[in-house]
Every structure is written in C-alpha cells, then in structure tokens.
Amino acid sequence: MRLIKTTEAEGAVLCHDITRIIRGVTKDAVFRKGHIVTKEDIPVLLSVGKENLYVWEKEEGILHENEAAEILCELCLNEHMRRSEVREGKIEIFAESDGILKVNAEALKCVNGFGQMMIASRHGNFPVKKGDKLAGTRIIPLVIEEEKMMTVRNRSHLITEQEPILKLLPFVHKKAGIITTGSEVYHKRIEDTFTPVIREKLSAFDTTEIAHEVFEDNDRTVTDAILRMIRAGADLVVCTGGMSVDPDDRTPLAIRNTGARIVSYGAPVLPGAMFMLAYLETEGRTAVIMGLPGCVMYAKRTIFDLLLPRVMADDEITAEELAGLGEGGLCLNCEICSFPNCGFGKGK
C-alpha cells in the first residue's frame, strides 16, 4: 500500500475503513476497506478529516475483491436470475421467476475448496419465488492473484461443461388427473378426504384438473383410467390410496401395467415411504404418474411436498436422487412447521 493525498484518490482502493462520528447520532464506517474512491467521495473524505489515505497500489496479475467477485458471479449467474451491484467485494444473485433452484454441488464444492474465495447458495431442488435471494459470492482477502481466479473458473467449467453452477427451472402449466382408489370410498362407506388434500397441494401451482375418478381396488380399471387420462392430455396423474402391501392394495400393479418407466416404489422418507414414481413416454411427451400413500392425506408434510414442485418444473427425478433423500428424509412433525426452512428433504 502507499500513502496519497485525498484530492488525488479518485479510482484508488482504500486499505482500511473510514469512520465518521456524529456526536449523539452515529459512529460508523462511511467507507469500507476495499472501496474504490469516486470523485464524489473526495469531499466526504475531506469532511471527516482525511487529508491523506492509504490505498492499494495496483499490481499486474492482482485482482481487487470487486473484480474477483465478478468472476465468481459469472460462474453462477444463469437465465431467470438477476444480480446485485458489487458492494464491498460481494455480489448477490436473485430469482427472476418462481421455480426450482438447481445447484451443481460438485462445482460449488470445488470453488469453495480452492481457498480464499466462496459461493454460498440456498439448497438445490427446492422451490423459490421471484425476488428470493439465491446465492452470494466474494473472495476472502482484499486482493487475489488473477491466475488463481482463472484456474478455479476453468475447473468449475470443466465440471459443469461450461454451464453455470446455478440453474432456475420455472414452473410450467400442468394438466392433472386424480384417481382415488378404495372400496370404502367407492361405495361411500366413508368420505373421500384424500382428494381435497391433493387439490389443495396442486392449487399452489399453475394446474388444471381435467379428470377425477373413483374406483374400487381393481388394478385393471385403474390402469385403464391412467392411460385414458394421459390420452386426454394429462401431464400428471396422481393416484391416491392402495399403495401398501395389503392384498387388496393394487395401485402399484396398476401403475406398472401402464408400461410406464418405474423410477421407484418406495422412498427413504417418512412420512411417505410407500411412494411410487413413474414416467410414461407417449406421443412425443412425458407424463408423470405418482402413487401416493395414505400419509399424504393426514400428515402436514410428506414426500409429496418434496417432489411435486420438481414435477411442476419439468425437473426429472432419478432413483439415485430419491435414495439420497434418506439423510434429512425424516420429518420431525414440529409443533410449528417451518418447512421448507428446515432440514426435511435436504438429503445428499
């Protein structure tokens, strides 16, 4: 660093905080370490008694924290996102639409394990709303070697295949069909309290219910109904009930007999272990079939809450991802539910 006259400091980088004290009102930094002095700042600096300043001397191959933050931001910023201005070496990234945030965890860990730099993000695979903060980036020191920043950028691009670390998948309109199974409901021995829950969950997204049918536990009629709804344009068919191993529960067999690709029957999530997920490719599009266990009817949060947002964003779910939900897959049924701002569903 070097000492210069404040009147000649335009464009210089401050080496320390500049504090302003107003008796009985405030004592705070009017400019922070790393601030780049502008022409308009000079009268303010003089007003707080700073005739001279210690500033960083620009060196070839050395980046200021603001310049380095721009590189980290570029590694993250993607479509449907906006960024803040750089401030004190930090840039924040915000959602520009409702959707699902995807995070390349391997690339994120690579950057954060490199030393002297960081990117902090929200959990991936969870819904966000327009305006939500997604991530923040900065380096730790005031300056850093340009070569180091170029190296970490290249390594991140190698992992992501030149794609940004973050991705935001907007929610899309879905046509939904609902199939309610169970002889007790079909014969009106009990009231159907499952379907209203599904309708309420779907109403949080841009959906149109195109069909609802109630059947006894008969796999053939359920299979026919699933296929009929998909032919009628359903992007999503939700089957409620009949998901256990009881001999009268035939919904898993009905879903298998559609010819759909079964991702999983069962998931390491409580509530929701007896969940089934399948994809049926037909007529150039893919329909999602979900078999929901009875817990979705009465538990406040279940596997349906974890996966429905991803379905609504056309984010295909894999068996490996379902298996990774085990850590964090136990809902604690808190007296005051704070989901999704809790550990539920935040697996590996």
Side-chain angles (χ1 to χ4, degrees):
M1 61 184 179
R2 62 192 175 96
L3 185 67
I4 64 171
K5 291 185 177 295
T6 300
T7 53
E8 301 171 357
E10 183 178 354
V13 180
L14 295 177
C15 284
H16 54 89
D17 293 349
I18 303 295
T19 301
R20 174 168 55 188
I21 302 173
I22 302 176
R23 185 180 177 186
V25 178
T26 185
K27 177 186 176 182
D28 196 10
V30 63
F31 298 110
R32 298 286 184 186
K33 179 181 71 172
H35 177 73
I36 300 176
V37 179
T38 67
K39 183 178 180 180
E40 292 74 23
D41 295 336
I42 292 174
V44 179
L45 289 164
L46 293 172
S47 74
V48 295
K50 300 300 178 184
E51 298 286 339
N52 301 284
L53 298 169
Y54 281 113
V55 298
W56 286 102
E57 191 166 13
K58 179 68 175 176
E59 294 182 40
E60 189 70 27
I62 299 295
L63 298 180
H64 177 256
E65 62 177 351
N66 287 356
E67 297 172 303
E70 294 286 352
I71 294 173
L72 294 175
C73 178
E74 177 240 324
L75 290 178
C76 296
L77 195 65
N78 209 332
E79 293 181 300
H80 312 296
M81 301 177 189
R82 65 176 174 85
R83 50 158 290 177
S84 70
E85 295 297 318
V86 60
R87 182 178 179 183
E88 298 175 5
K90 181 172 70 175
I91 298 175
E92 295 178 326
I93 298 173
F94 299 86
E96 277 287 82
S97 69
D98 296 356
I100 288 290
L101 177 65
K102 305 291 291 183
V103 180
N104 188 313
E106 184 183 356
L108 185 66
K109 187 175 181 179
C110 170
V111 173
N112 289 330
F114 210 75
Q116 296 188 298
M117 63 192 74
M118 57 77 64
I119 300 171
S121 79
R122 299 169 75 107
H123 276 281
N125 290 336
F126 272 79
V128 296
K129 292 186 176 295
K130 182 177 180 179
D132 282 351
K133 188 186 299 184
L134 304 180
T137 74
R138 71 172 306 151
I139 63 168
I140 308 306
L142 181 60
V143 294
I144 195 169
E145 297 89 344
E146 183 176 11
E147 181 181 1
K148 189 168 191 174
M149 296 305 303
M150 294 303 101
T151 299
V152 78
R153 181 171 69 178
N154 292 338
R155 290 188 182 179
S156 176
H157 283 169
L158 187 63
I159 294 170
T160 64
E161 298 180 346
Q162 303 293 318
E163 293 293 322
I165 292 172
L166 304 181
K167 183 186 294 185
L168 180 56
L169 304 178
F171 295 130
V172 298
H173 175 74
K174 295 287 185 185
K175 296 178 181 178
I178 302 174
I179 295 175
T180 304
T181 65
S183 61
E184 68 279 22
V185 177
Y186 179 77
H187 292 292
K188 302 186 185 305
R189 297 182 184 121
I190 66 169
E191 181 185 357
D192 176 14
T193 56
F194 209 147
T195 302
V197 172
I198 303 308
R199 286 175 172 155
E200 181 182 359
K201 302 279 188 184
L202 292 176
S203 70
F205 303 93
D206 182 13
T207 57
T208 301
E209 183 184 321
I210 65 168
H212 172 232
E213 297 189 49
V214 182
F215 297 103
E216 293 185 281
D217 294 298
N218 184 306
D219 56 279
R220 292 183 179 179
T221 56
V222 173
T223 296
D224 291 343
I226 294 171
L227 294 173
R228 187 167 59 251
M229 289 180 182
I230 292 174
R231 284 194 297 267
D235 307 296
L236 167 65
V237 177
V238 179
C239 301
T240 71
M243 291 299 300
S244 79
V245 295
D246 291 345
D248 287 334
D249 287 349
R250 305 290 184 85
T251 303
L253 177 60
I255 294 174
R256 290 184 188 280
N257 287 344
T258 63
R261 171 170 51 88
I262 306 299
V263 177
S264 179
Y265 174 34
V269 175
L270 291 173
M274 306 300 286
F275 169 80
M276 192 170 197
L277 175 67
Y279 291 96
L280 181 63
E281 286 78 22
T282 178
E283 298 178 352
R285 63 189 182 92
T286 301
V288 183
I289 307 170
M290 304 175 83
L292 302 184
C295 61
V296 176
M297 177 172 53
Y298 59 81
K300 188 172 183 63
R301 297 299 176 187
T302 70
I303 192 169
F304 192 45
D305 298 283
L306 300 181
L307 301 186
L308 180 61
R310 295 186 59 184
V311 169
M312 300 307 299
D314 284 339
D315 182 24
E316 184 166 331
I317 301 158
T318 67
E320 182 179 4
E321 288 174 318
L322 287 175
L325 289 175
E327 182 178 351
L330 179 64
C331 177
L332 299 180
N333 299 308
C334 302
E335 186 174 345
I336 299 176
C337 178
S338 60
F339 180 84
N341 299 318
C342 66
F344 182 50
K346 295 178 172 67
K348 291 285 188 174

